[in-house]
Amino acid sequence: MSYAIGSLVKARGREWVVLPESKDDLLVLRPLGGTDDEVTGILTPLEKVEPATFQLPDPAKLGDARSCRLLRDAVRLGFRASAGPFRSFGRIAVEPRPYQLVPLLMALKLDPVRILIADDVGIGKTVEAALIARELLDRGESDRLAVLCPPHLAEQWQTELREKFHIDAELVLPSTVTRLERGCGPGESLFDRHPFVIVSLDFIKADRRRESFLRACPDLVIVDEAHTCAAGIENRGSRHQRHQLIHALAEKPDRHLILVTATPHSGKDDAFQSLLGFLDKDLQKLPDELRGEESEPILRKVAAHFVQRRRADIRQYLGAETDFPTREETEVTYQLSKDYAKLFYRVLEYAREIVKDPTEQDKRRQRIRWWSALALLRALASSPAAAAATLRNRAASLEAETAEDADEIGRQAVLDLADDEATDATDVSPGADFDETTDSQARRRLQAMAREADALCGAKDEKLQRAVKMVKQLVDDGFNPIVFCRFIQTAEYVASELRAKLPKSVEIAAVTGTLQPDEREARVSALGESDKHVLVATDCLSEGVNLQDHFDAVVHYDLSWNPTRHEQREGRIDRYGQKAEKVRVVMYYGTDNQIDGVVLRVLLKKHKAIRNTLGISVPVPVDTDQVVKAIFESILIKHDDAPQQMLAGFEQHFRDEEKALFDEWERTADREKTSRTRFAQRTIKVAEVAAELESSRQAIGSSLDLSRFVRDAFSASGAIVTSNGSVRIDLREARRPLRDLIGDQPEIRARFELPIGAKETHLTRTHPVVEGLASWVVDSALDGIDDEAIAKRCGVVVTSKVQRRTTVLLLRYRFHVITRRAGIDQQMFAEESGFLGFAGAPQTAEWLPPETGEQLLDLPPEGNLAADRARDFVQKVVEGYDALLPHIHKAAKERAATVLDAHTRVRKAAQTRGLSHRVEPQLPVDLLGVYVYLPKN
């Protein structure tokens, strides 16, 4: 016997709902009131399965107002296959902020989905992208997902997808690929075998891996840090490989592609347009001028695919306030010690000599020496530990075969390429011009300077000593800071000194590129367990990683030579979900080291001034290395003074370059401001977001008071619930079946809203604790076995709010949702609760507006009624239920039409591409509860 999707069956002594995954001889079932974890399969030739009829409530098992409300709330919380406009909302463990629905609504107007999400740092782009993916999966429009991201973000993506969106994805990294491929069959790709994968961009971009991935890549792809895949000026290197990969993915016309980045422009129009070209080929080359009515079609097309918002745009949206911390910015300075300054000038003199050596005619060697000189100065400004390592190490650029290769290697080793490369492997000391061709005198000179640097470690390093005092003050002020350093040696050196000088009660840890991403995450989490802690990190943690749970201050121990890197560092703590009301950012630099001064004034402060004026980030309008080149040419080439005078007077030599840079930066900022106005998201109106948000909340009951349900249900089960900011639930006296269901634990400390404390649990509607609680409440009520069930299916309430006898029916609607694409039907199951109220007896029922029923369920009782009389009122409704069925069935069909409208409304644009829906109600409707309200005499 075949069973329709959504129908009820009885097997193994309980009742189940038939799910869409069922086949001829295999029924995939979920128990009534159960969770997705309880889904099971039954082979019908081996086990008995028969149709089930949902039993009517037993009038003898009456409850009070609270027990009736508990059943209503528990049923709603148990829904996973939402019948609302968004199929996914019943399955996610996060309640999206209203502004986060905008990218989702934009995406659902596209077929295929091609969208670039470029919201500001800390707004929640990961949630926005994952929402779109979860919705497409739950709608049956995709069945596989690949997330492409920098390797250091893979673990975080895996956690986000698993904990918030219930998507268990495999990591595809160099360290995991062998294991994954070992489990594949002959001719089977690991991407065929695993439907959900998170793939390292830098691993999969290589030619030998790329082709295999392209053959088996899912039709739903998220690309994080998408700016690293934009077209570069030169068709070579890692950026070009990444661009080739995404370009090839975009060539498949029906592939859904979600691009995510906080820096889409990177100061280069061509790079930005190459990202738009992934979404629509017509956008790959936009006209220089987009003015007048003739440009409107292009602007509308861009706006349909591109969303970019500042914090100010979303702080107040649809009546919901999104709190971000207040940022307190300070500057702290230091001066070089006498011995350190002496070494600094010696290194500067050496760097100048090798750059200006007239005997060197080989262009490759000239470029190697240029990058070696920058590396030496960069490392020396960072710490004596980094300087010593650089002076002793062999420069990576020495492996270059051409001058162009030397530039490519040098840029990656010396500069802070937040917009170009991933942050992994960029924190190693870059090395000096030290190879077999270096004469013995130069070798001895480098080694001598390295020994001098060794001798400066510790007490003679004023930068370090001043920083220790500064970090101690931050901890005393109640902050848990991250100290960002440029090089591995500096980070370990600073962490060691902090351990020696700070109180033992302060935990100190260093995280650098020497650790694998999972080891970094484990170390950060372990550090966050202590009350007072300091993290010293390189920029391996500066991009994309969420650190706001454990830290609330940032110290720039080493100034970045790229303003975007500073913004990324600060964005690790200054973001939505930060529990501290105030975060502190410290800019730390040397006053007698004009290299710091010029980088600070020319790059960092100018970037900040533009951001403060426009409210947006505008990257340096040229390649960062061009600016650095201009600065250091002024020091190393143009300046003819003795080394001691170079730093004191070179700024004047740089004035022309500085003015030219600032003029171009201002023009770029003006273009960016105009661009944001032109490309402003205009396809989704606030009223549309409000309507769909309200519709989805009604469907899954997210408007119910989750906190109230959890408190009431646990209290009724015997647990002790107390509140003091957070909620403490002592489970030691709670009923044993409930403790077993949610995991036997003595207590839970929880909050229902972000942010949460380090030892607190964020309870959402899909959290295992809430799922287990709701499931237990519903099962114990519907089974009819447990007379002490805390939720009841029927009750009688005396109230002055009604003038005559009024009955509210709590119903569960089940729907068969059929999606037709390219002539093929795909079946889905949806369910939701509903309320029907009527006045009088069932045979002469006067039906009330639907909203009246739910309003009555929240009324407190105002009088008492004898138990036998209460049972009689419920009995009359149960005995007269057949007279109510025509109206109930009519309501189910009307609701099915509403569900159909919700599904087609948000996916309207896709209908032109052969996508359609129909919705069939499964009858009879389940009567969950009967609640009678009597007027107070």
Side-chain angles (χ1 to χ4, degrees), residues 879-895:
E879 291 175 350
Y881 187 62
D882 287 346
L884 303 174
L885 282 176
H887 186 85
I888 294 174
H889 290 171
K890 177 185 176 184
K893 293 174 183 177
E894 290 174 349
R895 186 58 197 161

Side-chain angles (χ1 to χ4, degrees), residues 802-807 838-842 873 876-877 932-935:
V802 298
Q803 303 303 313
R804 55 186 300 199
R805 182 179 61 175
T806 302
T807 302
F838 65 90
F873 282 114
K876 290 175 181 177
V877 177
V932 180
Y933 295 83
L934 301 176

Side-chain angles (χ1 to χ4, degrees), residues 471 475 479-485 491 494-495 498-499 502 506-512 515 520-521 523-525 527-528 530 532-538 540-542 545-547 550-555 557 572-573:
V471 172
V475 174
F479 290 96
N480 292 308
I482 308 172
V483 180
F484 276 109
C485 304
V494 171
L498 289 174
R499 290 191 192 98
L502 265 60
V506 181
E507 290 292 327
I508 313 292
V511 172
T512 69
L515 300 176
R520 300 173 201 171
E521 182 179 356
R523 186 168 294 185
V524 169
S525 296
L527 184 63
S530 59
K532 295 182 178 181
H533 47 267
V534 178
L535 172 64
V536 185
T538 63
C540 69
L541 289 183
S542 70
V545 182
N546 297 334
L547 300 174
H550 304 306
F551 305 96
D552 50 16
V554 161
V555 175
Y557 188 85
R572 299 314 97 222
I573 63 163

Side-chain angles (χ1 to χ4, degrees), residues 321-336:
E321 182 170 352
T322 301
D323 292 325
F324 293 99
T326 300
R327 182 186 294 197
E328 178 184 278
E329 296 181 309
T330 62
E331 294 183 4
V332 177
T333 62
Y334 66 91
Q335 288 187 329
L336 298 174

